[in-house]
Amino acid sequence: MPSRLANRTRPRRSHRSTGRHRPVLLALLAALAVLAAACGTGGDSVGGSAGDGAATPEGGSTAAGSSAGNTLVIGMTATNIPLLDTTLSQNEGYEGIRFVGNQLYDALPRFDLSDPGEIPPIVPALAESWEPNADLTEWTFKLRSGVTFHDGEPWNADAAMFTFDRILNKDAPQYYPELNAQAGLAIVGVKSAEKVDDMTVKVTTKAPWSHLPADLATIFFGSPKAIQELGNDGFGKAPVGTGPFKFVEYVQGQRLVLEKNADYWRGAPKLDSLILRPIPDPTARVAALRSGEVNWIEVPLPDDVATLESEGFTVHLNAYDHEWPWVLNTSRPPFDDVRVRQALNYAIDRDSLTKDILQGTASPLVQAAPPANFAYRAENDTYTYDPEKAKQLLTEAGYPDGFEFRLSFPTSGSGNMVPIPMNEALQSDLAKVGIKVTLEPIEWAAMLTDFFVGKITANADAVNISLSYQQ
């Protein structure tokens, strides 16, 4: 869940937790959430958490800048509006989860983001409580009573099972392969789900799974009635959830308009409406903020942060559990050799990258878990910048003169910061130890589609892809 804001107060560090190990990667950077927002001139302000929803009661926010009424307009890094069907919103990365999934829908648990200085705990949402068995392979969820979908339909075990079957059960009439693919990283260890009674469901896993509640925080539930009446395509154009906002309007590539759900079970949002605009070019995003077209932008250019602050915008820098790695294809040479993977990690000058290019808007990552995740342990920090050690490891692995490989990378998108100069800097670092990297730019949504089904775009040897630790 990547983001950047702007605030006049001194930056505070907040931590976000999800919690899962991922395939072998070249650990590079731990992201900071950097958001830029207009300061209101009439008592208006922009606040709240970029991860839990811009206008939920605990992370409340009000309108700012020139937007009409109590409306927040957000300039996203995404190239398009995320898909609107439940967890398909992840197609534009964690921006989709933050600004679409968490606004239109709810999950069984959620992350409590009320304290920006703490790693957020998992707390009840559509499930009031849950209890695992002794070996953590069966989890029983007691569902929250009194919740309704935006169309008035009740939330209960049948509604929960409709979505579980839509994702998991290939024999169910509502099974949706595309949704299964997008949700795959969160439910890969789930064996089955079943109704126990009208307000209880049980999830069975393939093996002990201690962090299942954290993973289920991004599995969203849509109205069974709306899905059955509209079909998958129709529901994707007129979504119905239980979340703090209701769908109003979608214009392909231009905007998504949401209005507050006055009957939301956690209390009505502080905003009357929320408008999302995809603005993938960072210069254009900053210009839109300055002109008053938007009130909040994700990821201003690092060079713009100080200037925005001096102009009276707010800039929030918060650490969260997001990584900017290179994911290596270890099924074929040379990355099937651990010494080669270690060599790449020692050849990277992370400090120079974070200071010179990102100007402190990210921090070096020298282990799999980012510092903003509860799995982080300082004693596991492994890598330093040591090009001589990198050369030694390459020689031991049989590559004294280095080698060549291809890297796919996105030119924009959720959590990717400024990927072209960042990847060019790493390309330069690796060239110093004899490794030639060919950089191949790829559209962000296309890369995510491939990644969620286990593919590296264009059959490259590695992929640079911004990931939450959950992913």
mmCIF file of all heavy atoms in Angstrom, residues 351-401:
data_model
loop_
_atom_site.group_PDB
_atom_site.id
_atom_site.type_symbol
_atom_site.label_atom_id
_atom_site.label_comp_id
_atom_site.label_asym_id
_atom_site.label_seq_id
_atom_site.Cartn_x
_atom_site.Cartn_y
_atom_site.Cartn_z
ATOM 1 N N ASP A 351 22.509 3.366 0.086
ATOM 2 C CA ASP A 351 22.578 4.673 0.734
ATOM 3 C C ASP A 351 22.618 5.802 -0.294
ATOM 4 O O ASP A 351 21.953 6.829 -0.142
ATOM 5 C CB ASP A 351 23.806 4.753 1.639
ATOM 6 C CG ASP A 351 23.648 3.921 2.898
ATOM 7 O OD1 ASP A 351 22.495 3.686 3.305
ATOM 8 O OD2 ASP A 351 24.667 3.501 3.477
ATOM 9 N N SER A 352 23.404 5.612 -1.353
ATOM 10 C CA SER A 352 23.473 6.633 -2.395
ATOM 11 C C SER A 352 22.124 6.799 -3.084
ATOM 12 O O SER A 352 21.691 7.913 -3.371
ATOM 13 C CB SER A 352 24.549 6.258 -3.420
ATOM 14 O OG SER A 352 24.563 7.170 -4.494
ATOM 15 N N LEU A 353 21.457 5.686 -3.324
ATOM 16 C CA LEU A 353 20.152 5.728 -3.986
ATOM 17 C C LEU A 353 19.137 6.503 -3.149
ATOM 18 O O LEU A 353 18.403 7.369 -3.656
ATOM 19 C CB LEU A 353 19.659 4.298 -4.238
ATOM 20 C CG LEU A 353 18.334 4.122 -4.972
ATOM 21 C CD1 LEU A 353 18.370 4.756 -6.347
ATOM 22 C CD2 LEU A 353 17.973 2.641 -5.088
ATOM 23 N N THR A 354 19.095 6.221 -1.849
ATOM 24 C CA THR A 354 18.102 6.884 -1.011
ATOM 25 C C THR A 354 18.446 8.349 -0.753
ATOM 26 O O THR A 354 17.552 9.189 -0.641
ATOM 27 C CB THR A 354 17.945 6.148 0.335
ATOM 28 O OG1 THR A 354 19.220 6.070 0.984
ATOM 29 C CG2 THR A 354 17.407 4.751 0.119
ATOM 30 N N LYS A 355 19.736 8.684 -0.680
ATOM 31 C CA LYS A 355 20.121 10.060 -0.381
ATOM 32 C C LYS A 355 20.162 10.936 -1.629
ATOM 33 O O LYS A 355 19.638 12.048 -1.638
ATOM 34 C CB LYS A 355 21.487 10.078 0.308
ATOM 35 C CG LYS A 355 21.497 9.461 1.701
ATOM 36 C CD LYS A 355 22.905 9.411 2.274
ATOM 37 C CE LYS A 355 22.933 8.715 3.633
ATOM 38 N NZ LYS A 355 24.317 8.600 4.165
ATOM 39 N N ASP A 356 20.781 10.444 -2.689
ATOM 40 C CA ASP A 356 21.028 11.286 -3.855
ATOM 41 C C ASP A 356 19.840 11.373 -4.799
ATOM 42 O O ASP A 356 19.578 12.435 -5.379
ATOM 43 C CB ASP A 356 22.249 10.769 -4.622
ATOM 44 C CG ASP A 356 23.523 10.803 -3.786
ATOM 45 O OD1 ASP A 356 23.555 11.588 -2.811
ATOM 46 O OD2 ASP A 356 24.466 10.046 -4.091
ATOM 47 N N ILE A 357 19.148 10.265 -5.002
ATOM 48 C CA ILE A 357 18.029 10.254 -5.938
ATOM 49 C C ILE A 357 16.696 10.479 -5.229
ATOM 50 O O ILE A 357 15.867 11.275 -5.663
ATOM 51 C CB ILE A 357 18.004 8.943 -6.748
ATOM 52 C CG1 ILE A 357 19.241 8.867 -7.650
ATOM 53 C CG2 ILE A 357 16.724 8.825 -7.580
ATOM 54 C CD1 ILE A 357 19.343 7.597 -8.460
ATOM 55 N N LEU A 358 16.501 9.810 -4.101
ATOM 56 C CA LEU A 358 15.214 9.882 -3.406
ATOM 57 C C LEU A 358 15.204 10.899 -2.274
ATOM 58 O O LEU A 358 14.144 11.166 -1.696
ATOM 59 C CB LEU A 358 14.846 8.492 -2.875
ATOM 60 C CG LEU A 358 14.639 7.439 -3.969
ATOM 61 C CD1 LEU A 358 14.413 6.076 -3.360
ATOM 62 C CD2 LEU A 358 13.487 7.823 -4.875
ATOM 63 N N GLN A 359 16.344 11.447 -1.944
ATOM 64 C CA GLN A 359 16.445 12.534 -0.975
ATOM 65 C C GLN A 359 15.704 12.243 0.330
ATOM 66 O O GLN A 359 14.959 13.075 0.859
ATOM 67 C CB GLN A 359 15.954 13.838 -1.601
ATOM 68 C CG GLN A 359 16.790 14.246 -2.811
ATOM 69 C CD GLN A 359 16.404 15.595 -3.365
ATOM 70 O OE1 GLN A 359 15.974 16.474 -2.634
ATOM 71 N NE2 GLN A 359 16.577 15.760 -4.667
ATOM 72 N N GLY A 360 15.915 11.028 0.830
ATOM 73 C CA GLY A 360 15.369 10.667 2.123
ATOM 74 C C GLY A 360 13.932 10.221 2.128
ATOM 75 O O GLY A 360 13.349 10.015 3.199
ATOM 76 N N THR A 361 13.323 10.044 0.954
ATOM 77 C CA THR A 361 11.934 9.603 0.907
ATOM 78 C C THR A 361 11.799 8.081 0.852
ATOM 79 O O THR A 361 10.721 7.549 0.590
ATOM 80 C CB THR A 361 11.201 10.229 -0.293
ATOM 81 O OG1 THR A 361 11.881 9.882 -1.500
ATOM 82 C CG2 THR A 361 11.141 11.744 -0.164
ATOM 83 N N ALA A 362 12.879 7.367 1.094
ATOM 84 C CA ALA A 362 12.862 5.913 1.254
ATOM 85 C C ALA A 362 14.060 5.572 2.131
ATOM 86 O O ALA A 362 14.918 6.417 2.387
ATOM 87 C CB ALA A 362 12.944 5.186 -0.087
ATOM 88 N N SER A 363 14.120 4.348 2.598
ATOM 89 C CA SER A 363 15.249 3.920 3.417
ATOM 90 C C SER A 363 15.818 2.620 2.870
ATOM 91 O O SER A 363 15.103 1.838 2.235
ATOM 92 C CB SER A 363 14.806 3.740 4.877
ATOM 93 O OG SER A 363 13.778 2.768 4.967
ATOM 94 N N PRO A 364 17.113 2.351 3.094
ATOM 95 C CA PRO A 364 17.715 1.118 2.592
ATOM 96 C C PRO A 364 17.057 -0.114 3.206
ATOM 97 O O PRO A 364 16.668 -0.113 4.381
ATOM 98 C CB PRO A 364 19.178 1.225 3.031
ATOM 99 C CG PRO A 364 19.411 2.680 3.237
ATOM 100 C CD PRO A 364 18.107 3.231 3.738
ATOM 101 N N LEU A 365 16.940 -1.166 2.406
ATOM 102 C CA LEU A 365 16.382 -2.433 2.862
ATOM 103 C C LEU A 365 17.466 -3.494 2.755
ATOM 104 O O LEU A 365 17.952 -3.767 1.657
ATOM 105 C CB LEU A 365 15.176 -2.816 2.012
ATOM 106 C CG LEU A 365 14.468 -4.122 2.360
ATOM 107 C CD1 LEU A 365 13.829 -4.040 3.737
ATOM 108 C CD2 LEU A 365 13.399 -4.446 1.312
ATOM 109 N N VAL A 366 17.858 -4.081 3.873
ATOM 110 C CA VAL A 366 18.975 -5.031 3.865
ATOM 111 C C VAL A 366 18.567 -6.385 4.426
ATOM 112 O O VAL A 366 19.396 -7.185 4.849
ATOM 113 C CB VAL A 366 20.186 -4.468 4.636
ATOM 114 C CG1 VAL A 366 20.799 -3.307 3.859
ATOM 115 C CG2 VAL A 366 19.798 -4.014 6.038
ATOM 116 N N GLN A 367 17.266 -6.667 4.423
ATOM 117 C CA GLN A 367 16.730 -7.986 4.746
ATOM 118 C C GLN A 367 15.354 -8.066 4.109
ATOM 119 O O GLN A 367 14.880 -7.106 3.513
ATOM 120 C CB GLN A 367 16.649 -8.207 6.251
ATOM 121 C CG GLN A 367 15.742 -7.242 6.981
ATOM 122 C CD GLN A 367 15.423 -7.685 8.392
ATOM 123 O OE1 GLN A 367 14.595 -8.567 8.586
ATOM 124 N NE2 GLN A 367 16.093 -7.071 9.370
ATOM 125 N N ALA A 368 14.709 -9.222 4.220
ATOM 126 C CA ALA A 368 13.424 -9.398 3.544
ATOM 127 C C ALA A 368 12.318 -8.552 4.155
ATOM 128 O O ALA A 368 11.461 -8.036 3.441
ATOM 129 C CB ALA A 368 13.024 -10.873 3.573
ATOM 130 N N ALA A 369 12.308 -8.387 5.473
ATOM 131 C CA ALA A 369 11.229 -7.653 6.133
ATOM 132 C C ALA A 369 11.585 -6.185 6.278
ATOM 133 O O ALA A 369 12.667 -5.849 6.767
ATOM 134 C CB ALA A 369 10.951 -8.260 7.504
ATOM 135 N N PRO A 370 10.698 -5.273 5.898
ATOM 136 C CA PRO A 370 10.950 -3.837 6.099
ATOM 137 C C PRO A 370 10.800 -3.471 7.568
ATOM 138 O O PRO A 370 10.065 -4.127 8.315
ATOM 139 C CB PRO A 370 9.880 -3.172 5.243
ATOM 140 C CG PRO A 370 8.776 -4.170 5.191
ATOM 141 C CD PRO A 370 9.408 -5.519 5.222
ATOM 142 N N PRO A 371 11.471 -2.417 8.024
ATOM 143 C CA PRO A 371 11.392 -2.024 9.431
ATOM 144 C C PRO A 371 9.980 -1.714 9.910
ATOM 145 O O PRO A 371 9.706 -1.796 11.112
ATOM 146 C CB PRO A 371 12.280 -0.775 9.498
ATOM 147 C CG PRO A 371 13.260 -0.954 8.381
ATOM 148 C CD PRO A 371 12.471 -1.616 7.295
ATOM 149 N N ALA A 372 9.071 -1.375 9.021
ATOM 150 C CA ALA A 372 7.707 -1.034 9.414
ATOM 151 C C ALA A 372 6.799 -2.242 9.540
ATOM 152 O O ALA A 372 5.586 -2.092 9.664
ATOM 153 C CB ALA A 372 7.114 -0.040 8.413
ATOM 154 N N ASN A 373 7.359 -3.440 9.514
ATOM 155 C CA ASN A 373 6.566 -4.649 9.668
ATOM 156 C C ASN A 373 6.935 -5.348 10.963
ATOM 157 O O ASN A 373 8.093 -5.319 11.377
ATOM 158 C CB ASN A 373 6.787 -5.589 8.481
ATOM 159 C CG ASN A 373 5.821 -6.762 8.494
ATOM 160 O OD1 ASN A 373 6.090 -7.780 9.143
ATOM 161 N ND2 ASN A 373 4.709 -6.632 7.803
ATOM 162 N N PHE A 374 5.941 -5.990 11.593
ATOM 163 C CA PHE A 374 6.212 -6.643 12.874
ATOM 164 C C PHE A 374 7.202 -7.796 12.735
ATOM 165 O O PHE A 374 7.761 -8.256 13.730
ATOM 166 C CB PHE A 374 4.919 -7.125 13.534
ATOM 167 C CG PHE A 374 4.157 -8.155 12.740
ATOM 168 C CD1 PHE A 374 4.570 -9.469 12.685
ATOM 169 C CD2 PHE A 374 2.996 -7.805 12.059
ATOM 170 C CE1 PHE A 374 3.866 -10.417 11.973
ATOM 171 C CE2 PHE A 374 2.282 -8.748 11.334
ATOM 172 C CZ PHE A 374 2.721 -10.061 11.294
ATOM 173 N N ALA A 375 7.451 -8.288 11.521
ATOM 174 C CA ALA A 375 8.412 -9.372 11.318
ATOM 175 C C ALA A 375 9.858 -8.885 11.300
ATOM 176 O O ALA A 375 10.785 -9.694 11.344
ATOM 177 C CB ALA A 375 8.101 -10.097 10.001
ATOM 178 N N TYR A 376 10.064 -7.572 11.250
ATOM 179 C CA TYR A 376 11.432 -7.037 11.177
ATOM 180 C C TYR A 376 12.187 -7.265 12.483
ATOM 181 O O TYR A 376 11.654 -7.044 13.570
ATOM 182 C CB TYR A 376 11.392 -5.543 10.867
ATOM 183 C CG TYR A 376 12.760 -4.888 10.892
ATOM 184 C CD1 TYR A 376 13.614 -4.980 9.796
ATOM 185 C CD2 TYR A 376 13.202 -4.207 12.024
ATOM 186 C CE1 TYR A 376 14.869 -4.402 9.826
ATOM 187 C CE2 TYR A 376 14.454 -3.613 12.060
ATOM 188 C CZ TYR A 376 15.287 -3.718 10.953
ATOM 189 O OH TYR A 376 16.530 -3.147 10.991
ATOM 190 N N ARG A 377 13.442 -7.711 12.349
ATOM 191 C CA ARG A 377 14.357 -7.841 13.472
ATOM 192 C C ARG A 377 15.695 -7.264 13.044
ATOM 193 O O ARG A 377 16.271 -7.708 12.044
ATOM 194 C CB ARG A 377 14.542 -9.304 13.888
ATOM 195 C CG ARG A 377 13.282 -10.020 14.337
ATOM 196 C CD ARG A 377 12.746 -9.474 15.651
ATOM 197 N NE ARG A 377 11.569 -10.219 16.101
ATOM 198 C CZ ARG A 377 10.324 -9.954 15.743
ATOM 199 N NH1 ARG A 377 10.085 -8.942 14.897
ATOM 200 N NH2 ARG A 377 9.308 -10.655 16.198
ATOM 201 N N ALA A 378 16.201 -6.304 13.802
ATOM 202 C CA ALA A 378 17.443 -5.622 13.412
ATOM 203 C C ALA A 378 18.596 -6.595 13.259
ATOM 204 O O ALA A 378 19.475 -6.408 12.408
ATOM 205 C CB ALA A 378 17.786 -4.543 14.438
ATOM 206 N N GLU A 379 18.594 -7.667 14.051
ATOM 207 C CA GLU A 379 19.708 -8.628 13.971
ATOM 208 C C GLU A 379 19.728 -9.392 12.656
ATOM 209 O O GLU A 379 20.735 -10.047 12.326
ATOM 210 C CB GLU A 379 19.651 -9.611 15.141
ATOM 211 C CG GLU A 379 18.389 -10.443 15.247
ATOM 212 C CD GLU A 379 17.316 -9.797 16.123
ATOM 213 O OE1 GLU A 379 17.345 -8.552 16.257
ATOM 214 O OE2 GLU A 379 16.460 -10.536 16.647
ATOM 215 N N ASN A 380 18.648 -9.303 11.879
ATOM 216 C CA ASN A 380 18.621 -9.975 10.573
ATOM 217 C C ASN A 380 19.154 -9.104 9.441
ATOM 218 O O ASN A 380 19.239 -9.559 8.297
ATOM 219 C CB ASN A 380 17.194 -10.417 10.242
ATOM 220 C CG ASN A 380 16.695 -11.501 11.163
ATOM 221 O OD1 ASN A 380 17.485 -12.264 11.720
ATOM 222 N ND2 ASN A 380 15.380 -11.583 11.347
ATOM 223 N N ASP A 381 19.509 -7.849 9.725
ATOM 224 C CA ASP A 381 20.108 -7.006 8.697
ATOM 225 C C ASP A 381 21.381 -7.673 8.188
ATOM 226 O O ASP A 381 22.248 -8.072 8.980
ATOM 227 C CB ASP A 381 20.440 -5.624 9.259
ATOM 228 C CG ASP A 381 19.194 -4.761 9.450
ATOM 229 O OD1 ASP A 381 18.116 -5.188 8.995
ATOM 230 O OD2 ASP A 381 19.314 -3.682 10.048
ATOM 231 N N THR A 382 21.498 -7.799 6.883
ATOM 232 C CA THR A 382 22.544 -8.645 6.304
ATOM 233 C C THR A 382 23.525 -7.901 5.438
ATOM 234 O O THR A 382 24.747 -8.064 5.591
ATOM 235 C CB THR A 382 21.887 -9.767 5.459
ATOM 236 O OG1 THR A 382 21.013 -10.526 6.300
ATOM 237 C CG2 THR A 382 22.942 -10.678 4.854
ATOM 238 N N TYR A 383 23.039 -7.079 4.522
ATOM 239 C CA TYR A 383 23.894 -6.591 3.448
ATOM 240 C C TYR A 383 24.421 -5.181 3.685
ATOM 241 O O TYR A 383 23.766 -4.338 4.286
ATOM 242 C CB TYR A 383 23.140 -6.649 2.117
ATOM 243 C CG TYR A 383 22.817 -8.073 1.703
ATOM 244 C CD1 TYR A 383 21.524 -8.567 1.839
ATOM 245 C CD2 TYR A 383 23.814 -8.907 1.231
ATOM 246 C CE1 TYR A 383 21.234 -9.878 1.480
ATOM 247 C CE2 TYR A 383 23.526 -10.223 0.874
ATOM 248 C CZ TYR A 383 22.239 -10.699 1.004
ATOM 249 O OH TYR A 383 21.966 -11.986 0.663
ATOM 250 N N THR A 384 25.637 -4.966 3.204
ATOM 251 C CA THR A 384 26.256 -3.647 3.154
ATOM 252 C C THR A 384 26.713 -3.418 1.716
ATOM 253 O O THR A 384 26.668 -4.335 0.885
ATOM 254 C CB THR A 384 27.472 -3.572 4.097
ATOM 255 O OG1 THR A 384 28.413 -4.599 3.714
ATOM 256 C CG2 THR A 384 27.053 -3.774 5.546
ATOM 257 N N TYR A 385 27.153 -2.216 1.418
ATOM 258 C CA TYR A 385 27.700 -1.947 0.085
ATOM 259 C C TYR A 385 29.151 -2.403 0.069
ATOM 260 O O TYR A 385 30.011 -1.822 0.715
ATOM 261 C CB TYR A 385 27.600 -0.464 -0.234
ATOM 262 C CG TYR A 385 28.165 -0.093 -1.599
ATOM 263 C CD1 TYR A 385 27.846 -0.828 -2.729
ATOM 264 C CD2 TYR A 385 29.009 1.012 -1.728
ATOM 265 C CE1 TYR A 385 28.355 -0.490 -3.974
ATOM 266 C CE2 TYR A 385 29.513 1.361 -2.970
ATOM 267 C CZ TYR A 385 29.189 0.606 -4.089
ATOM 268 O OH TYR A 385 29.704 0.945 -5.314
ATOM 269 N N ASP A 386 29.431 -3.476 -0.677
ATOM 270 C CA ASP A 386 30.764 -4.082 -0.689
ATOM 271 C C ASP A 386 31.026 -4.677 -2.078
ATOM 272 O O ASP A 386 30.908 -5.890 -2.284
ATOM 273 C CB ASP A 386 30.853 -5.165 0.379
ATOM 274 C CG ASP A 386 32.282 -5.638 0.629
ATOM 275 O OD1 ASP A 386 33.134 -5.417 -0.252
ATOM 276 O OD2 ASP A 386 32.541 -6.233 1.692
ATOM 277 N N PRO A 387 31.363 -3.833 -3.070
ATOM 278 C CA PRO A 387 31.550 -4.336 -4.434
ATOM 279 C C PRO A 387 32.672 -5.362 -4.551
ATOM 280 O O PRO A 387 32.606 -6.258 -5.409
ATOM 281 C CB PRO A 387 31.838 -3.076 -5.248
ATOM 282 C CG PRO A 387 32.174 -2.019 -4.266
ATOM 283 C CD PRO A 387 31.485 -2.361 -2.995
ATOM 284 N N GLU A 388 33.704 -5.275 -3.709
ATOM 285 C CA GLU A 388 34.784 -6.265 -3.772
ATOM 286 C C GLU A 388 34.274 -7.637 -3.345
ATOM 287 O O GLU A 388 34.651 -8.650 -3.936
ATOM 288 C CB GLU A 388 35.951 -5.825 -2.891
ATOM 289 C CG GLU A 388 36.671 -4.595 -3.416
ATOM 290 C CD GLU A 388 37.128 -4.759 -4.865
ATOM 291 O OE1 GLU A 388 37.709 -5.825 -5.194
ATOM 292 O OE2 GLU A 388 36.885 -3.845 -5.674
ATOM 293 N N LYS A 389 33.454 -7.673 -2.321
ATOM 294 C CA LYS A 389 32.866 -8.951 -1.924
ATOM 295 C C LYS A 389 31.947 -9.479 -3.014
ATOM 296 O O LYS A 389 31.874 -10.697 -3.248
ATOM 297 C CB LYS A 389 32.099 -8.791 -0.615
ATOM 298 C CG LYS A 389 31.596 -10.112 -0.044
ATOM 299 C CD LYS A 389 31.140 -9.963 1.395
ATOM 300 C CE LYS A 389 30.788 -11.312 1.989
ATOM 301 N NZ LYS A 389 30.474 -11.222 3.435
ATOM 302 N N ALA A 390 31.234 -8.581 -3.693
ATOM 303 C CA ALA A 390 30.374 -8.992 -4.797
ATOM 304 C C ALA A 390 31.203 -9.666 -5.899
ATOM 305 O O ALA A 390 30.828 -10.722 -6.419
ATOM 306 C CB ALA A 390 29.619 -7.787 -5.360
ATOM 307 N N LYS A 391 32.347 -9.061 -6.248
ATOM 308 C CA LYS A 391 33.216 -9.650 -7.277
ATOM 309 C C LYS A 391 33.732 -11.012 -6.839
ATOM 310 O O LYS A 391 33.822 -11.951 -7.648
ATOM 311 C CB LYS A 391 34.378 -8.711 -7.564
ATOM 312 C CG LYS A 391 33.987 -7.405 -8.257
ATOM 313 C CD LYS A 391 35.207 -6.503 -8.429
ATOM 314 C CE LYS A 391 34.836 -5.172 -9.070
ATOM 315 N NZ LYS A 391 36.009 -4.265 -9.197
ATOM 316 N N GLN A 392 34.099 -11.140 -5.559
ATOM 317 C CA GLN A 392 34.595 -12.422 -5.047
ATOM 318 C C GLN A 392 33.525 -13.505 -5.163
ATOM 319 O O GLN A 392 33.807 -14.630 -5.603
ATOM 320 C CB GLN A 392 35.005 -12.253 -3.586
ATOM 321 C CG GLN A 392 35.450 -13.543 -2.917
ATOM 322 C CD GLN A 392 35.673 -13.357 -1.423
ATOM 323 O OE1 GLN A 392 35.873 -12.235 -0.940
ATOM 324 N NE2 GLN A 392 35.637 -14.450 -0.686
ATOM 325 N N LEU A 393 32.295 -13.172 -4.802
ATOM 326 C CA LEU A 393 31.204 -14.148 -4.886
ATOM 327 C C LEU A 393 30.911 -14.527 -6.331
ATOM 328 O O LEU A 393 30.635 -15.698 -6.632
ATOM 329 C CB LEU A 393 29.954 -13.573 -4.223
ATOM 330 C CG LEU A 393 29.982 -13.516 -2.695
ATOM 331 C CD1 LEU A 393 28.878 -12.604 -2.174
ATOM 332 C CD2 LEU A 393 29.826 -14.919 -2.106
ATOM 333 N N LEU A 394 30.979 -13.568 -7.240
ATOM 334 C CA LEU A 394 30.756 -13.867 -8.655
ATOM 335 C C LEU A 394 31.834 -14.809 -9.180
ATOM 336 O O LEU A 394 31.553 -15.744 -9.948
ATOM 337 C CB LEU A 394 30.737 -12.573 -9.471
ATOM 338 C CG LEU A 394 29.510 -11.675 -9.287
ATOM 339 C CD1 LEU A 394 29.709 -10.353 -10.008
ATOM 340 C CD2 LEU A 394 28.245 -12.367 -9.794
ATOM 341 N N THR A 395 33.083 -14.595 -8.773
ATOM 342 C CA THR A 395 34.177 -15.479 -9.189
ATOM 343 C C THR A 395 33.956 -16.888 -8.662
ATOM 344 O O THR A 395 34.113 -17.882 -9.391
ATOM 345 C CB THR A 395 35.518 -14.924 -8.699
ATOM 346 O OG1 THR A 395 35.734 -13.635 -9.283
ATOM 347 C CG2 THR A 395 36.667 -15.855 -9.093
ATOM 348 N N GLU A 396 33.570 -16.992 -7.394
ATOM 349 C CA GLU A 396 33.315 -18.311 -6.807
ATOM 350 C C GLU A 396 32.168 -19.023 -7.518
ATOM 351 O O GLU A 396 32.169 -20.257 -7.628
ATOM 352 C CB GLU A 396 32.982 -18.150 -5.324
ATOM 353 C CG GLU A 396 34.145 -17.681 -4.473
ATOM 354 C CD GLU A 396 33.724 -17.406 -3.032
ATOM 355 O OE1 GLU A 396 32.533 -17.676 -2.701
ATOM 356 O OE2 GLU A 396 34.560 -16.950 -2.240
ATOM 357 N N ALA A 397 31.210 -18.267 -8.010
ATOM 358 C CA ALA A 397 30.057 -18.856 -8.697
ATOM 359 C C ALA A 397 30.340 -19.172 -10.160
ATOM 360 O O ALA A 397 29.485 -19.731 -10.852
ATOM 361 C CB ALA A 397 28.864 -17.916 -8.594
ATOM 362 N N GLY A 398 31.533 -18.816 -10.631
ATOM 363 C CA GLY A 398 31.890 -19.108 -12.017
ATOM 364 C C GLY A 398 31.629 -17.977 -12.983
ATOM 365 O O GLY A 398 31.593 -18.192 -14.204
ATOM 366 N N TYR A 399 31.481 -16.747 -12.469
ATOM 367 C CA TYR A 399 31.228 -15.587 -13.314
ATOM 368 C C TYR A 399 32.261 -14.489 -13.031
ATOM 369 O O TYR A 399 31.899 -13.373 -12.633
ATOM 370 C CB TYR A 399 29.815 -15.046 -13.080
ATOM 371 C CG TYR A 399 28.709 -16.034 -13.385
ATOM 372 C CD1 TYR A 399 28.149 -16.809 -12.374
ATOM 373 C CD2 TYR A 399 28.228 -16.187 -14.683
ATOM 374 C CE1 TYR A 399 27.132 -17.710 -12.641
ATOM 375 C CE2 TYR A 399 27.211 -17.085 -14.971
ATOM 376 C CZ TYR A 399 26.665 -17.849 -13.938
ATOM 377 O OH TYR A 399 25.660 -18.738 -14.220
ATOM 378 N N PRO A 400 33.557 -14.781 -13.223
ATOM 379 C CA PRO A 400 34.587 -13.776 -12.897
ATOM 380 C C PRO A 400 34.470 -12.515 -13.753
ATOM 381 O O PRO A 400 34.916 -11.443 -13.327
ATOM 382 C CB PRO A 400 35.889 -14.515 -13.151
ATOM 383 C CG PRO A 400 35.531 -15.584 -14.138
ATOM 384 C CD PRO A 400 34.149 -16.014 -13.766
ATOM 385 N N ASP A 401 33.901 -12.650 -14.949
ATOM 386 C CA ASP A 401 33.748 -11.497 -15.842
ATOM 387 C C ASP A 401 32.319 -10.967 -15.850
ATOM 388 O O ASP A 401 31.948 -10.163 -16.711
ATOM 389 C CB ASP A 401 34.159 -11.883 -17.274
ATOM 390 C CG ASP A 401 35.605 -12.340 -17.345
ATOM 391 O OD1 ASP A 401 36.445 -11.701 -16.683
ATOM 392 O OD2 ASP A 401 35.877 -13.331 -18.038
#
